[in-house]
Amino acid sequence: MKKHLDFNYFKESADYILSKIEFMPEIAIVLGSCLGNLADEIENKIIIDYKDIPNFLDATVESHAGKLILGDLSGKKVVCMSGRFHYYEGYDFEELTIPMRVMHLLGCKSVILTNAAGAVNKDFLAGDIMIIKDHIKLNGASPVRGKNLEEFGPRFFDMSNTYNKDYIKLAKKAAQVSKLDIKEGVYFYMPGPQFETPAEIRAIRVLGGDAVGMSTVTEAIVAAHCGMKVLGLSLMTNMAAGILEVPLTTDEVDKTAEKSAEKFKVLLKNILKEI
Ligand code: HPA
């Protein structure tokens, strides 16, 4: 039978990171595809390669750097994950608990999860930013399946306030300050790596999804389990499959992410000031 990860497994990673810094970060930030340049703005930074952290995972996607950047941003002590892990890379759902559990053990009480997503809601446009108010995950296992680790949280736990309502208000206010027309909606998880079919997108729309993507939800579940407050922000890098007549490409996703990186950065910094 497969070996389950125990509490010490996560603690070894956290202890290594804590041995490299002289503070405890308050807020974790997970940067989605091509949003990595926010990390350039972190002051007094300490950079740790994922591959040097015991028991951590290594990023395999080209647009994900695979570095942990710790330091000051907008007056807050942050730990930034430049590069995240997805089910489609071949990890088990259980392995996908590692990042959030390690962030929790570093002392983070909150996490900002960012991602690139396809717009399912036809009122959205490529380049729009959506505050995640809730998510739908109907496929794949839960990352916290298996023996429960009570050190992190209870066996059964509430998911009705996963995306913190105060943070949603605060993000809307920060968007106003940034003069940004921000959207709000439901993120629908799909495991990928293939983009969805037009029929899948129609089904997702009927089910209540406004955006679709291959990340974030596993992290939000693990964060909710250990009581971290979550803010989720999705950048619409493309209209989801079947809305426009053109096929989806990674190139389009990367180009929109690159074009929107600056406004995303401004928004995140304004949010951090208020958090
Ligand atoms: N589908 C799934 N994931 C994505 C998409 C999409 O259209 N765009 C960016 N990430």
Side-chain angles (χ1 to χ4, degrees):
M1 202 181 89
K2 191 172 149 290
K3 185 173 158 284
H4 285 290
L5 310 181
D6 63 7
F7 181 74
N8 279 328
Y9 184 95
F10 304 97
K11 194 164 176 303
E12 270 180 41
S13 305
D15 285 349
Y16 174 84
I17 298 162
L18 288 171
S19 76
K20 302 280 173 201
I21 54 176
E22 281 165 5
F23 62 91
M24 283 181 90
E26 317 157 60
I27 303 168
I29 307 170
V30 181
L31 298 176
S33 310
C34 302
L35 303 170
N37 72 351
L38 177 84
D40 299 342
E41 312 252 330
I42 297 179
E43 293 165 45
N44 308 318
K45 56 175 161 264
I46 302 220
I47 302 176
I48 305 175
D49 277 341
Y50 289 169
K51 62 176 165 16
D52 292 334
I53 306 171
N55 303 344
F56 213 65
L57 304 171
D58 201 4
T60 70
V61 188
E62 223 174 89
S63 53
H64 289 254
K67 289 182 195 311
L68 211 58
I69 301 116
L70 300 110
D72 299 298
L73 189 62
S74 296
K76 298 288 178 334
K77 298 276 180 224
V78 301
V79 48
C80 207
M81 284 186 59
S82 184
R84 61 140 61 91
F85 310 107
H86 313 79
Y87 182 67
Y88 64 72
E89 292 172 83
Y91 299 114
D92 294 338
F93 277 110
E94 186 188 9
E95 288 179 295
L96 297 177
T97 59
I98 295 171
M100 285 307 105
R101 287 184 165 172
V102 172
M103 299 302 123
H104 169 71
L105 293 175
L106 294 181
C108 295
K109 304 270 184 288
S110 311
V111 59
I112 303 178
L113 301 172
T114 71
N115 62 55
V120 173
N121 186 325
K122 291 184 187 170
D123 294 335
F124 293 179
L125 293 171
D128 278 351
I129 297 174
M130 181 189 91
I131 302 170
I132 303 178
K133 66 174 179 194
D134 206 347
H135 76 227
I136 301 175
K137 179 182 183 297
L138 299 180
N139 42 39
S142 167
V144 292
R145 167 179 177 264
K147 184 178 183 311
N148 185 50
L149 296 181
E150 293 288 329
E151 295 94 331
F152 290 112
R155 168 79 297 176
F156 302 105
F157 55 100
D158 181 53
M159 287 293 292
S160 51
N161 284 304
T162 303
Y163 299 91
N164 185 275
K165 295 202 171 52
D166 293 334
Y167 283 2
I168 292 175
K169 270 193 218 147
L170 197 147
K172 282 185 191 164
K173 232 176 88 191
Q176 263 178 4
V177 172
S178 318
K179 298 197 169 30
L180 204 82
D181 171 30
I182 202 149
K183 305 289 195 280
E184 193 179 343
V186 173
Y187 179 95
F188 195 104
Y189 172 78
M190 287 292 271
Q194 74 283 5
F195 290 122
E196 299 70 31
T197 64
E200 283 167 342
I201 294 300
R202 286 194 299 275
I204 289 170
R205 193 176 298 118
V206 169
L207 290 172
D210 296 293
V212 61
M214 307 172 194
S215 68
T216 299
V217 165
T218 47
E219 293 146 354
I221 294 168
V222 178
H225 182 241
C226 60
M228 288 165 82
K229 294 198 230 168
V230 178
L231 171 67
L233 297 171
S234 291
L235 171 68
M236 301 303 117
T237 49
N238 54 282
M239 297 310 288
I243 297 180
L244 307 174
E245 289 299 309
V246 290
L248 302 192
T249 63
T250 319
D251 199 41
E252 179 190 3
V253 170
D254 291 349
K255 282 210 172 98
T256 315
E258 216 177 287
K259 264 197 261 167
S260 312
E262 191 54 37
K263 72 173 177 189
F264 209 99
K265 210 155 77 176
V266 172
L267 174 68
L268 256 172
K269 285 187 350 193
N270 282 335
I271 290 173
L272 275 175
K273 275 185 209 150
E274 302 298 328
I275 238 168

